[in-house]
Each structure stands twice: as structure tokens, then as C-alpha cells.
């Protein structure tokens, strides 16, 4: 069902997204090397007997593989990342997604960025030092606040991969969240921080897709990973999808080699199926049978959740007493995901204020606060704390006025806490 929904040939259920994306990169490396063996008229085309060649993959600096996987791409896959940076193009605190121009600039300067235990390092390389097996693109960009590439940008990246004979892999952990923005009309998907997620050029040259299958037919990824526990709310697990059946046949071989074919994955598979039906299929069916939004029937679609988040973010941003502390990135949500940044406060102070609001208003405004780590522009401007915010089955039902009043109370509590800390510090100094 998932493969059919995406318009792709086949899908394989896997225990984790890390495993799924590692296997995808390995298969793309195999397929590229096999094709080169064929081009060289080598008689031994057994894919398991191919020689190992130095290989690389392209990805953005905010990729999950770079930030959260302990260099598994190198230790397990023997792949080197060519990391595309866009932090230097930040507008305020907003870092843009990578585009074809960013990739070409990275390769033109022949700079390969890798991550070590001591942090980022850059080493010079020539383009022929490694074979680039795949471009990995995240949709939406989770670490960039849920930003999206425009349709025209996606089509450019597809053509670039075809010309370079490299695979196009989409990290679609939150692809259902992305659908709300990518399948939306241009008028509802612009923001005012310089990033236009709809891009008028795309919609004038290509008919805007109305389903994920039509989107994938345009973008034509060679592989796609989808998380089963994020927007779908499953226990764990991932779908790995391929544009051709041979990819998924090979994925099943690598699943065995990775030890991913557990004695049973039934609880995870059932939870994933239930989440897919509950969060994706049923709201769509409900909305198609009614002119009103599916949320009015208690089945909030990803589009409903996105619109709810847009409305609340706009109201919060228009309140001076809130905007004094809080800045959203992007300024208008492009998906049902956004990052908030808090200036001149600590995580502990935010946690304390949040607890007081929960006691007073009965609302947990966000799940957790954490230190700013991966946004140098935000750190430079005094933002020390951030949070990730989405609308789920519970908070999407909360009235907008209660959301706003809870945040107003949070900022009042934050003011008291910060003032008390300043008074205490002054008394100590005296």
C-alpha cells in the first residue's frame, strides 16, 4: 500500500531508519560499480564480486547521517560524505536548504567536509578522487525547522543526478508532513524570511502535483526512506522504497546481512500499519467525503495540522511580549514542524517557566527545550535555547486562544525568573 501511495515499485519494512538509509547507500554503490563493470566489458558481473572502490555521497551539513549516526557511513559503509554547507547563507537565524547551486559550488571548490570526533574538518580533494554514488536530500529538512525545497529545485536535482549517473535518494522520514507544503497551492506556502517553498517558476512550468504518487512521478527518486514512528506515530521502524523492484530485492539481502530480519517485527509492523491508516489514509478519506476539513471530524490531516501551526505561529509572532523572547524559524511554517529560538535564557529557566505554566494553565507548551548546537547564526545573536514544535493528535485540538494565553503566561514567568536571577547575581556581587 505504501509503495502504491508513493507510486514506487516496492517497499521493505526495516527496524530503523539508520539501517534503511545505510542499506540504500550500499545498494546505490553496488549498482553504480556494477554498471561501470558492464561499461568496461568485464565478464564477471556478479554484484557480490565487484571490487570495492573509494566512494562518496552528497548531503547537506544538517543531514541525520552527519549529525546523529557516529560516522556510520565511514565505519560500516566505507563511504565518505561530501558535505554541502549553507550556514554562511543564513538570513538572520534562518539557514536555507541546499540547492543545485550549493552543490556545484561545493564541488567546484573541491572541498570535502567530514565530521570527526573533534568536529568538522575540511580536506582538499579532486573530483576524481572518489565516485559519488548518491545525492541524499532530506524532505523536509528537520534540522532547518522543517524547510522544503521547491518543486523546481527538486526537478533540478533530479536532472543533475541523471546527468552525473548518481542515485537520487530522499530522506523522507517526514514525507507525510512535507506533503502538506509540497502539494499545497503557491498562495498558501510563502513566508517572509526569503525562502519560498512553492516557487512560482515550478508551478508555471510544471503542473503542481496533487498526490504523493504524482510528486514522486515528477521527482523520480531512486530510493525513499519513510519513518514509521514520527508523523505516523508507530512504535519504531522504517519503510525503504525503490523506483524498481530490483532495488528492493537487493534491500532484502542487505537486511539479512545487517541482522535486521528479526524473528518477528510484527508489533512494529502492525503499529506502523495502524499509524499509516489513522494519520494518513482515514483523514484523506474523511476529507474527500466532506467539504469541511477532516479535523472537524476528529481526524486531523497533515494539512490540517500544518494550517493549525501556521495560525498559532502567526499569532504568537504578533505578540510583542512573546516576540521579545521567541523567534521562529522559518517565520511561517512550511510543514507541520517548526523550530523556536529563545534569546538570553537557559534551558533550566525555560523548563522552570514551562512547569509553572503547566500547573497554572494545564498546557504543556512544548515537549522539551534544548541548547542551540547546530545553528551558528542563532548562537551569535544570543539565542541559547531552542525547541521543535509540531501539532499532534492532542495539541491540534487545543483552542488557539489557549495556546496563545499559555505562551503569554510562559513569557511572564520567564520575565520573573530572569529578573530574580539578575537580582540574585547583583546581590552576590554587592
Amino acid at each position: 500500500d505504501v509503495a502504491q501511495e508513493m507510486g514506487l515499485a516496492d517497499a521493505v519494512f526495516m527496524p530503523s531508519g539508520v539501517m534503511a538509509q545505510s542499506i540504500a547507500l550500499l545498494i546505490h554503490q553496488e549498482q553504480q560499480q556494477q554498471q561501470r563493470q558492464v561499461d568496461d566489458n568485464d565478464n564477471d558481473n556478479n554484484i557480490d564480486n565487484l571490487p570495492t572502490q573509494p566512494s562518496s555521497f552528497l548531503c547537506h551539513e544538517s543531514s541525520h547521517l552527519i549529525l546523529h549516526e557516529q560516522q556510520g557511513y565511514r565505519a560500516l559503509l566505507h563511504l565518505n560524505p561530501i558535505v554541502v554547507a549553507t550556514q554562511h547563507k543564513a538570513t538572520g537565524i534562518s539557514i536555507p536548504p541546499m540547492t543545485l547551486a550549493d552543490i556545484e559550488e561545493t564541488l567546484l571548490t573541491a572541498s570535502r567536509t567530514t565530521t570527526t570526533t573533534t568536529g568538522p574538518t575540511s580536506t582538499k580533494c579532486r573530483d576524481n578522487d572518489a565516485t559519488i554514488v548518491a545525492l541524499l536530500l532530506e524532505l523536509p529538512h528537520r534540522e532547518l525547522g522543517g524547510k522544503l525545497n521547491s518543486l523546481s529545485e527538486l526537478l533540478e536535482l533530479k536532472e543533475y543526478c541523471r546527468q552525473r549517473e548518481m542515485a537520487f535518494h530522499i530522506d523522507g522520514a517526514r514525507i507525510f508532513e512535507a506533503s502538506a507544503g509540497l502539494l499545497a497551492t503557491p498562495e498558501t506556502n510563502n513566508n517572509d524570511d526569503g525562502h519560498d517553498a512553492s516557487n512560482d517558476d515550478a508551478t508555471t512550468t510544471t503542473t503542481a502535483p496533487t498526490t504523493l504518487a504524482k510528486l514522486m512521478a515528477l521527482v523520480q527518486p531512486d530510493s525513499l526512506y519513510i519513518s514509521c514512528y514520527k508523523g505516523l506515530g508507530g512504535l519504531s521502524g522504517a519503510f525503504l522504497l525503490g523506483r524498481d523492484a530490483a532495488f528492493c530485492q537487493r534491500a532484502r539481502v542487505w537486511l539479512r546481512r545487517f541482522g535486521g530480519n528479526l524473528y518477528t517485527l510484527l508489533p512494529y509492523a502492525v503499529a506502523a500499519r495502524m499509524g499509516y491508516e489513522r494519520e494518513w489514509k482515514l483523514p484523506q478519506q474523511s476529507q474527500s467525503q466532506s467539504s469541511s476539513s477532516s479535523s472537524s471530524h476528529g481526524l486531523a490531516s497533515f494539512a490540517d495540522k500544518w494550517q493549525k501551526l501556521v495560525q498559532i505561529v502567526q499569532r504568537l509572532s504578533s505578540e510583542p511580549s512573546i516576540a521579545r523572547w521567541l523567534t521562529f524559524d522559518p517565520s511561517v511554517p512550511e510543514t507541520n514542524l517548526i523550530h523556536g529560538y529563545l534569546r538570553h535564557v537557559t534551558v533550566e529557566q525555560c523548563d522552570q517557566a514551562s512547569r509553572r505554566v503547566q500547573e497554572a494553565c494545564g498546557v504543556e507548551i512544548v515537549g522539551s527545550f534544548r541548547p542551540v548546537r547546530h545553528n551558528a547564526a542563532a548562537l551569535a545573536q544570543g539565542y541559547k535555547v531552542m525547541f521543535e514544535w509540531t501539532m499532534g493528535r492532542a495539541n491540534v485540538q487545543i483552542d488557539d486562544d489557549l495556546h496563545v494565553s499559555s505562551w503569554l503566561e510562559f513569557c511572564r514567568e520567564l520575565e520573573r525568573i530572569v529578573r530574580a536571577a539578575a537580582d540574585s547575581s547583583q546581590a552576590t556581587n554587592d
Side-chain angles (χ1 to χ4, degrees):
D1 285 354
V2 177
Q4 184 177 7
E5 185 74 27
M6 297 293 164
L8 298 174
D10 197 1
V12 182
F13 184 80
M14 297 193 173
S16 75
V18 172
M19 183 181 295
Q21 298 208 99
S22 296
I23 287 175
L25 288 174
L26 278 171
I27 296 171
H28 293 316
Q29 182 184 35
E30 285 182 337
Q31 291 177 336
Q32 187 182 78
Q33 291 182 3
Q34 184 184 40
Q35 184 59 49
R36 295 198 173 197
Q37 291 291 98
V38 171
D39 293 342
D40 292 340
N41 295 317
D42 195 302
N43 292 324
D44 184 5
N45 291 325
N46 186 333
I47 199 167
D48 287 318
N49 294 334
L50 295 177
T52 301
Q53 301 174 3
S55 299
S56 300
F57 65 96
L58 281 160
C59 67
H60 189 256
E61 60 187 329
S62 66
S63 168
H64 194 278
L65 278 73
I66 301 300
L67 297 182
H68 305 298
E69 297 185 17
Q70 301 292 317
Q71 300 184 65
Y73 50 79
R74 182 174 291 116
L76 297 177
L77 313 182
H78 306 292
L79 289 170
N80 294 312
I82 300 176
V83 181
V84 181
T86 59
Q87 286 219 33
H88 62 288
K89 295 185 176 182
T91 302
I93 65 171
S94 186
I95 302 169
M98 72 174 175
T99 63
L100 177 57
D102 299 315
I103 293 172
E104 291 178 330
E105 179 184 345
T106 299
L107 293 177
L108 183 64
T109 57
S111 176
R112 180 183 301 148
T113 305
T114 59
T115 303
T116 69
T117 55
T118 58
T121 62
S122 181
T123 57
K124 294 295 180 181
C125 70
R126 294 185 302 276
D127 192 33
N128 60 2
D129 280 349
T131 301
I132 303 175
V133 301
L135 166 62
L136 188 152
L137 180 74
E138 188 177 11
L139 281 179
H141 295 263
R142 185 265 180 105
E143 296 290 347
L144 303 185
K147 295 188 183 77
L148 293 169
N149 288 87
S150 68
L151 179 57
S152 64
E153 290 169 349
L154 294 176
L155 297 179
E156 285 180 346
L157 293 173
K158 175 196 73 173
E159 290 304 320
Y160 177 78
C161 289
R162 297 293 179 265
Q163 293 169 8
R164 293 289 295 255
E165 296 183 342
M166 68 175 72
F168 187 18
H169 172 75
I170 292 181
D171 176 349
R174 296 167 176 82
I175 193 66
F176 294 110
E177 287 89 335
S179 68
L182 287 170
L183 305 182
T185 60
E187 292 78 13
T188 61
N189 202 26
N190 290 323
N191 64 45
D192 58 10
D193 63 3
H195 180 64
D196 178 359
S198 62
N199 194 310
D200 289 340
D201 289 341
T203 56
T204 55
T205 59
T206 304
T207 302
T210 56
T211 66
L212 282 171
K214 291 179 180 179
L215 174 66
M216 293 301 155
L218 289 171
V219 178
Q220 297 179 8
D222 296 285
S223 54
L224 168 68
Y225 145 64
I226 304 173
S227 172
C228 297
Y229 74 88
K230 296 181 173 69
L232 297 183
L235 293 174
S236 186
F239 298 119
L240 181 60
L241 298 88
R243 192 157 62 97
D244 58 67
F247 174 90
C248 287
Q249 290 172 3
R250 198 63 186 162
R252 293 182 177 94
V253 173
W254 276 109
L255 182 65
R256 176 81 178 186
R257 290 171 173 173
F258 269 62
N261 61 326
L262 306 182
Y263 177 72
T264 180
L265 286 169
L266 184 61
Y268 305 103
V270 169
R273 175 73 186 201
M274 290 175 62
Y276 174 69
E277 292 289 340
R278 180 186 61 242
E279 303 296 337
W280 180 251
K281 298 297 290 185
L282 290 179
Q284 282 190 318
Q285 293 170 5
S286 175
Q287 195 161 5
S288 67
Q289 296 168 4
S290 172
S291 58
S292 60
S293 70
S294 55
S295 60
S296 64
H297 304 280
L299 295 169
S301 68
F302 284 97
D304 294 329
K305 295 171 187 175
W306 171 46
Q307 289 298 332
K308 175 84 167 183
L309 187 62
V310 168
Q311 294 168 8
I312 297 173
V313 166
Q314 288 176 336
R315 288 189 60 179
L316 296 180
S317 299
S318 67
E319 292 283 350
S321 59
I322 296 177
R324 174 191 170 194
W325 300 96
L326 174 62
T327 300
F328 286 104
D329 178 37
S331 60
V332 177
E334 298 180 14
T335 60
N336 178 33
L337 186 155
I338 198 166
H339 285 175
Y341 288 84
L342 291 144
R343 191 198 305 258
H344 304 312
V345 291
T346 66
V347 170
E348 292 74 18
Q349 290 171 330
C350 291
D351 286 339
Q352 185 179 353
S354 180
R355 285 193 298 269
R356 292 181 182 177
V357 170
Q358 191 167 1
E359 293 169 359
C361 305
V363 174
E364 184 180 39
I365 53 174
V366 296
S368 64
F369 298 95
R370 61 178 185 262
V372 176
R373 291 193 178 96
H374 305 303
N375 189 328
L379 285 168
Q381 296 176 53
Y383 293 92
K384 299 179 181 179
V385 180
M386 67 166 296
F387 60 88
E388 187 171 278
W389 204 20
T390 63
M391 290 292 116
R393 278 181 289 162
N395 61 350
V396 75
Q397 303 297 332
I398 297 175
D399 185 77
D400 289 7
D401 290 339
L402 182 54
H403 274 291
V404 174
S405 63
S406 299
W407 274 99
L408 286 167
E409 181 62 24
F410 171 80
C411 290
R412 284 192 289 268
E413 289 293 342
L414 209 54
E415 178 79 37
R416 297 186 190 104
I417 292 167
V418 171
R419 187 184 302 117
D423 291 345
S424 176
S425 178
Q426 181 64 39
T428 301
N429 293 335
D430 293 342

